[in-house]
Amino acid sequence: MGEAATGERRQRTDKQRNRTHILEVAEEFFAEQGITGSMDAIAKRAGVGPGTLYRHFPNREALLAALLQARDEELEARRDAIQREVTDSRAALAQWLQALGEWVTAFDGLPEPLRAALAEGTSPLAITCQGFVTTTEDFLRAAQRDGGAKPWVRGRDLFLSTLATAWARGAAMADESSPDALVSLMRTGWETPATETAPGSGEDPA
């Protein structure tokens, strides 16, 4: 019994070591090649067979979800800090969208599988995306209550706009000024300027 238990523990340890090693190699590989790089190439670089890779991560989405886990925790920490420290709801939404934009650019090509995850709902990435859509909605509603965001804007649309902006940053026509310009355009779309009054209010801008 003792030898059997020891053998099981060794197998679990080896399995975890293999998983950790694959994630480290995949992190490096996707950083170099983007997320469209070959899964078999990752297995080869990690020194394991494709079967071992797919036992740990049955598809690319599962591998990406595991790689993003640490970044998810970092984004959640930034969310908590914004909620705790930023009292202006308009500024809080803008800061959250900035943090979200950094998260979706972790790897080249990441916006597309995140968009697909939202559309399909079956990807391992879907739960993560839905959670951050909900967070975006929470920040947005606070800004809308305070008059800092347009009432027709939806959190899901802001999340998708963040994905689209991240994709456009990597487009062939983009240059060094594109990221700031795209973020500014997006903010113009959702933000209610401080001097703007509600339609039909009859009040003059301050």
Side-chain angles (χ1 to χ4, degrees):
M1 181 66 68
E3 291 181 0
T6 299
E8 290 178 3
R9 284 196 298 271
R10 185 179 298 111
Q11 288 180 351
R12 288 195 298 269
T13 299
D14 290 344
K15 184 177 180 180
Q16 182 59 44
R17 186 182 297 112
N18 280 339
R19 185 179 191 277
T20 300
H21 178 59
I22 290 169
L23 285 173
E24 290 172 349
V25 171
E27 172 93 19
E28 180 182 84
F29 186 85
F30 284 153
E32 295 174 0
Q33 307 289 335
I35 63 164
T36 58
S38 165
M39 293 282 281
D40 287 350
I42 292 173
K44 183 176 180 180
R45 183 181 290 195
V48 300
T52 298
L53 172 63
Y54 287 110
R55 277 195 297 273
H56 287 284
F57 308 104
N59 51 47
R60 187 182 307 274
E61 287 73 23
L63 179 56
L64 282 171
L67 285 172
L68 287 173
Q69 183 175 356
R71 290 178 171 84
D72 294 347
E73 294 170 357
E74 292 172 3
L75 184 55
E76 289 165 0
R78 291 187 66 178
R79 174 202 62 197
D80 294 343
I82 293 169
Q83 291 174 332
R84 184 174 59 252
E85 299 169 7
V86 182
T87 57
D88 184 297
S89 58
R90 181 192 287 109
L93 175 56
Q95 288 189 28
W96 166 250
L97 292 175
Q98 178 182 359
L100 194 62
E102 294 170 3
W103 175 76
V104 302
T105 54
F107 302 110
D108 184 37
L110 183 58
E112 174 53 29
L114 294 177
R115 182 206 61 77
L118 275 176
E120 298 169 4
T122 58
S123 166
L125 296 168
I127 295 176
T128 296
C129 288
Q130 289 293 349
F132 291 145
V133 168
T134 299
T135 298
T136 303
E137 189 71 37
D138 291 341
F139 279 109
L140 172 62
R141 287 176 179 171
Q144 288 171 329
R145 285 195 302 267
D146 295 340
K150 296 170 183 174
W152 52 265
V153 178
R154 302 186 306 171
R156 184 182 184 88
D157 295 332
L158 284 182
F159 185 89
L160 289 171
S161 295
T162 301
L163 295 183
T165 299
W167 175 87
R169 290 177 182 180
M173 293 179 63
D175 57 27
E176 60 182 14
S177 67
S178 295
D180 289 342
L182 290 167
V183 170
S184 179
L185 283 170
M186 179 175 152
R187 181 163 181 166
T188 300
W190 65 258
E191 183 178 37
T192 300
T195 57
E196 184 175 315
T197 57
S201 66
E203 299 179 5
D204 294 328

